[in-house]
Amino acid sequence: MKCRPLPQSLLVGLGACAVTLLALKAGLLPTVFPAEFASETGGDTGILPTFLLPLPLFALFTLFALGSGMAWVGLTVESRFWRGFVGVGALAQLLLAIEVAERFEHRFSAWAPAVCVTIAWAFSEVLRYRNARTEAGLELDPAFFQPAAFRPNPIALAQAAAVRVESGTPSQRVACTVLYCELTNHSQLADQLPPEACASFLNRLLFISNETAAAHGGRADRLDSEAFRAVFCSAHGVEEHPEAALHAALAIRGRVQTLSQECAVKFGQELDVRMGVSTGEALLADFSQGQAMRPGIAGETPEWARRLAGANVLYGSQILISARTGLLGGHSVERRPIDLLQRYESPRPPEEVFEVLGLQYSLDSAAQTRLRLYKEGVSFFRARKWAFARARLLAARPAERSDEAIELLLQRINEQESLTEYAQG
């Protein structure tokens, strides 16, 4: 369920107000303004004349406003500390209202508004918890939202298998998308983990990568202790291969996180897996592996996927994709521009590469805001407007963790400003 703060806040406020009024009607709570209070003031509350707004309607409006306001805070404020601070502050103000009423020799019961605020506060936390569980489910199980457009076609798979059985894989150049997964710390794992444990984790990593890629229609082309490579193409029954490869990469990332946490708990080492995805033309053919022949790929497209996987280390990212992959399949994921990298030799211009953050619509409101600010900062950076770029990037920097891509851009801005000052001086 997608969080919609305004309608949810109004509904929660209305519900809290209704429950409070029922408790007042049943006599479970003392009234906000006692009957003798109105009689003592001659029918004038001193807050709002009764001939303008009757007292029950005023009390109803007050409770509804308190409940809706508390629900809005609970649903929109990300920090748990500030949500609690506002809630406690609201209850403290009710105590202050009692003290003020006593100084003017009147009685004011804070039980009804306190119950209304507490109900709205608690219910908004329940809604926030449910929304967080839903978003976590979107991120951890992307295959559930796999569009039918790029699911493997059973008929095409059967036909492709029949061709391979009869005559092997015909050598041809095909349009495809290559997913390259690199374990960047494989040598460190081999040196520091017990041999049997290291082999077990590496085999489980390869199994996860191969199984997940195959579930999205990919064919494994390389499996070893350092890397895994899979190809997605129409010859293997996958028409929308850029989307299939991107969703496979996100699914692998989610499953590897669990395996990496297990390795970190047992041996203090994480599995540092970085991925690159590239779309283009590649040679699909049978290649010899000892006495057997296996289908594989060759060309610049898989090489660019390998280079993108390694470039993740510089930017602190996990999944980098090529410009063409972003053009053809980027609409199904949340992504952000990372850098312009020289893919081909000069004079051909550099190519823009992107980082995949998650499935489309899987980011919460705070992450969406940071992503928008980041994109604005990159636009200003490429326009050489350093001050505007720095302001946007600083606003996009997450508070709970570091963002190496943002830090790198900020460092480049400082370098460019220093060069400008040096040239002018």
Side-chain angles (χ1 to χ4, degrees), residues 89-130:
L91 297 177
Q93 289 183 22
L94 292 176
L95 297 177
L96 179 62
I98 297 175
E99 181 67 23
V100 172
E102 290 181 353
R103 287 184 177 272
F104 286 94
E105 299 180 353
H106 297 302
R107 281 197 307 118
F108 168 72
S109 175
W111 278 103
V115 168
C116 184
V117 168
T118 303
I119 292 175
W121 187 6
F123 201 74
S124 63
E125 291 294 328
V126 172
L127 284 178
R128 173 178 287 275
Y129 175 76
R130 289 187 60 187

Side-chain angles (χ1 to χ4, degrees), residues 79-97:
S79 173
R80 183 178 299 177
F81 169 78
W82 287 111
R83 294 200 306 270
F85 180 81
V86 173
V88 173
L91 297 177
Q93 289 183 22
L94 292 176
L95 297 177
L96 179 62

Side-chain angles (χ1 to χ4, degrees), residues 394-415:
L394 288 175
R397 179 192 287 172
E400 66 279 3
R401 58 180 177 83
S402 61
D403 191 318
E404 296 182 34
I406 292 180
E407 299 302 329
L408 183 60
L409 286 173
L410 292 173
Q411 181 180 349
R412 290 179 178 177
I413 291 174
N414 294 334
E415 292 174 354

Side-chain angles (χ1 to χ4, degrees), residues 78-327:
E78 295 297 329
S79 173
R80 183 178 299 177
F81 169 78
W82 287 111
R83 294 200 306 270
F85 180 81
V86 173
V88 173
L91 297 177
Q93 289 183 22
L94 292 176
L95 297 177
L96 179 62
I98 297 175
E99 181 67 23
V100 172
E102 290 181 353
R103 287 184 177 272
F104 286 94
E105 299 180 353
H106 297 302
R107 281 197 307 118
F108 168 72
S109 175
W111 278 103
V115 168
C116 184
V117 168
T118 303
I119 292 175
W121 187 6
F123 201 74
S124 63
E125 291 294 328
V126 172
L127 284 178
R128 173 178 287 275
Y129 175 76
R130 289 187 60 187
N131 291 332
R133 288 285 301 273
T134 303
E135 291 171 358
L138 286 171
E139 180 66 24
L140 293 177
D141 190 16
F144 180 79
F145 300 88
Q146 183 179 8
F150 65 82
R151 290 174 185 163
N153 186 338
I155 298 178
L157 289 175
Q159 292 175 348
V163 171
R164 285 194 300 274
V165 170
E166 294 176 1
S167 59
T169 301
S171 300
Q172 57 182 322
R173 287 187 174 87
V174 297
C176 64
T177 299
V178 178
L179 168 62
Y180 191 95
C181 305
E182 181 179 1
L183 182 62
T184 60
N185 63 335
H186 69 279
S187 59
Q188 183 179 2
L189 295 173
D191 292 340
Q192 298 189 9
L193 266 64
E196 293 184 358
C198 181
S200 174
F201 275 106
L202 292 180
N203 287 326
R204 291 168 64 187
L205 176 62
L206 291 176
F207 175 79
I208 285 174
S209 303
N210 189 24
E211 181 185 57
T212 308
H216 290 77
R219 295 294 180 85
D221 170 65
R222 175 182 175 182
L223 297 95
D224 56 42
S225 63
E226 300 179 13
F228 167 82
R229 186 173 68 183
V231 58
F232 301 77
C233 63
S234 57
H236 294 161
V238 183
E239 296 296 335
E240 301 295 333
H241 47 83
E243 292 183 38
L246 290 176
H247 284 240
L250 287 171
I252 290 174
R253 184 185 69 176
R255 298 184 68 182
V256 168
Q257 285 176 351
T258 303
L259 184 63
S260 178
Q261 291 173 358
E262 179 185 345
C263 186
V265 169
K266 292 182 177 179
F267 302 103
Q269 296 289 334
E270 295 184 349
L271 304 178
D272 189 7
V273 176
R274 312 294 176 121
M275 288 174 272
V277 184
S278 176
T279 301
E281 194 174 74
L283 173 64
L284 180 64
D286 281 336
F287 297 97
S288 174
Q289 294 187 357
Q291 299 295 328
M293 300 289 289
R294 286 193 56 185
I297 55 172
E300 193 275 335
T301 297
E303 173 61 20
W304 185 235
R306 184 191 66 81
R307 291 169 60 188
L308 290 177
N312 281 288
V313 179
L314 175 62
Y315 303 103
S317 54
Q318 288 186 310
I319 306 174
L320 288 181
I321 65 175
S322 67
R324 187 166 182 79
T325 304
L327 176 65

